Amino acid sequence: MHIDRELKLDFSDVLIRPKRSALPSRAKVDIHREFTFRNSQRKYHGIPIIAANMDTVGTFEMARALALFDLSVAVHKHYQEEEVIEFFESVKVASNAFYSMGITKDDAEKFDRVAQRLGDAIEYVCIDVANGYTAGFVKFVEKFRQAYPKVTIMAGNVVTGEMTEELILCGVDIVKVGIGPGSVCATRSMTGVGYPQLSAVIECADAAHGLDGRICADGGCVAPGDIAKAFGGGADFVMLGGMLAGHAECAGELVEQDGRQYKRFYGMSSRTAMEKYSGGVAEYRAPEGKEVLVPYRGPVADTLREILGGVRSACTYVGARKLRELTKRTTFVRVSGNRNGSFDES
């Protein structure tokens, strides 16, 4: 047993301290990013926010809506092969989409068949597991990289610098960071395992950038300010689930209660998801997600404008003309659980 006594922080524990700025308006802020990925050598240009690969959020409809704003979607893995092929053949939209998969034999064989049909049409792949620390996951990533050297791989989830480095050296371009911070994730309460998300982002970003790799902060954002904090902490991409739930582009029928309309939103390790895709919860495990009803919010476009406006505004408060400058100009001030000063990460 070991106790790490170093302070760790979530997004709610800090604010970004304002600094003098010469920016006349948030309209002058460029929140696009450009990357050349370490392993695939592919180039990226867009606003680095990604809709999560959950079956309620990572839909084709969401991909089409977010593409209009230069945002991306990790399309969930439960679509049928023919549906996936038809979608990725629509190159203009698919260029902003990640193909999502797990690490089972069926996942690998399905991707092989799809890739044979589509050739280079799939540029991005999200290899997603709840626990990115297993030897089997690492071996799968290594084998996948060898088979598909030109595909940009996002994979996770992990929360520590050393595992971030290992995944990048195994062929991952974007390491997905986060265990337990999501609004419908119950991993922390069910297992006691997790890591405060802001500290995970800061530590994993430091490890990744030393190897010219990238990270995606996955989970824990409940408001546009949290997205700004993630970018300020060093995240290259931010993945959103709950903030995009409940919209017209999300899967699922509308549910009416007490005269109000809702949509169901649930974690992919919830009982709901396991009954839907795995025939129920296996005897050897427990659900690590939950289901909630989210008020129906109509088309996602207005929410996207609010999110992007919040990030632009954060940049103006610290004088960052481009999103890539935000982390260099960020000083975090602790606002809870601290009586001895502030935490600075300049």
Side-chain angles (χ1 to χ4, degrees):
M1 187 274 290
H2 172 73
I3 297 178
D4 183 351
R5 299 186 184 278
E6 185 180 343
L7 181 71
K8 306 298 179 184
L9 299 166
D10 269 318
F11 295 131
S12 60
D13 295 323
V14 302
L15 290 170
I16 298 172
R17 190 173 72 191
K19 296 180 179 178
R20 285 179 61 85
S21 171
L23 287 168
S25 166
R26 70 191 65 179
K28 300 297 182 181
V29 174
D30 181 6
I31 56 174
H32 287 76
R33 291 295 309 267
E34 293 185 357
F35 302 116
T36 298
F37 294 111
R38 179 188 193 273
N39 294 304
S40 71
Q41 290 299 299
R42 285 187 180 269
K43 296 184 183 298
Y44 166 88
H45 178 80
I47 297 174
I49 294 175
I50 307 170
N53 52 309
M54 310 167 80
D55 69 349
T56 49
V57 175
T59 64
F60 295 151
E61 293 78 13
M62 187 67 75
R64 295 184 182 100
L66 267 61
L68 299 176
F69 291 82
D70 285 341
L71 276 62
S72 302
V73 171
V75 175
H76 73 77
K77 71 175 185 177
H78 298 291
Y79 282 114
Q80 297 299 312
E81 286 180 37
E82 291 301 322
E83 294 177 296
V84 172
I85 290 167
E86 182 180 353
F87 171 77
F88 276 96
E89 283 177 337
S90 59
V91 178
K92 187 173 182 180
V93 176
S95 62
N96 286 65
F98 287 75
Y99 177 103
S100 298
M101 61 187 296
I103 61 171
T104 67
K105 182 180 179 182
D106 287 345
D107 289 322
E109 291 178 348
K110 178 181 177 182
F111 181 80
D112 288 342
R113 292 192 298 269
V114 170
Q116 286 175 5
R117 294 273 299 276
L118 290 175
D120 292 333
I122 298 178
E123 297 183 29
Y124 304 98
V125 169
C126 174
I127 304 176
D128 181 52
V129 296
N131 179 3
Y133 287 81
T134 66
F137 173 64
V138 175
K139 290 178 182 177
F140 184 93
V141 168
E142 288 180 316
K143 186 176 179 181
F144 189 91
R145 169 53 71 200
Q146 291 170 2
Y148 297 99
K150 295 182 180 179
V151 170
T152 297
I153 300 174
M154 176 168 64
N157 284 26
V158 301
V159 290
T160 52
E162 62 271 17
M163 201 66 206
T164 297
E165 291 170 342
E166 181 170 351
L167 289 176
I168 290 169
L169 293 173
C170 288
V172 174
D173 297 290
I174 310 165
V175 177
K176 202 143 71 77
V177 174
I179 293 179
S183 60
V184 287
C185 181
T187 296
R188 292 180 182 180
S189 60
M190 289 299 297
T191 70
V193 175
Y195 208 92
Q197 184 69 346
L198 178 60
S199 288
V201 167
I202 291 170
E203 294 170 28
C204 293
D206 181 63
H209 296 163
L211 294 172
D212 201 25
R214 304 293 167 186
I215 72 158
C216 176
D218 177 19
C221 292
V222 298
D226 295 331
I227 302 172
K229 292 173 188 178
F231 285 130
D236 303 291
F237 294 83
V238 176
M239 180 170 279
L240 303 178
M243 287 186 68
L244 299 178
H247 289 95
E249 294 81 2
C250 295
E253 296 180 358
L254 289 173
V255 177
E256 190 160 325
Q257 282 191 3
D258 301 323
R260 297 189 64 188
Q261 291 184 316
Y262 298 85
K263 277 203 167 186
R264 286 190 170 87
F265 177 54
Y266 49 84
M268 297 310 292
S269 292
S270 66
R271 183 179 298 276
T272 302
M274 285 190 278
E275 288 177 348
K276 187 174 182 179
Y277 298 114
S278 304
V281 182
E283 290 186 4
Y284 60 85
R285 66 175 299 176
E288 293 180 24
K290 55 187 177 181
E291 177 182 327
V292 297
L293 288 177
V294 178
Y296 179 63
R297 303 162 70 186
V300 74
D302 286 344
T303 297
L304 296 178
R305 293 186 186 97
E306 185 176 284
I307 287 170
L308 300 181
V311 175
R312 288 191 184 94
S313 188
C315 289
T316 65
Y317 272 105
V318 298
R321 292 182 177 274
K322 297 179 180 294
L323 182 59
R324 63 180 173 82
E325 298 172 6
L326 181 56
T327 186
K328 297 177 182 178
R329 300 189 61 83
T330 292
T331 297
F332 288 123
V333 180
R334 283 180 57 203
V335 295
S336 64
N338 171 48
R339 298 180 181 271
N340 299 313
S342 64
F343 173 81
D344 284 355
E345 179 67 24
S346 298

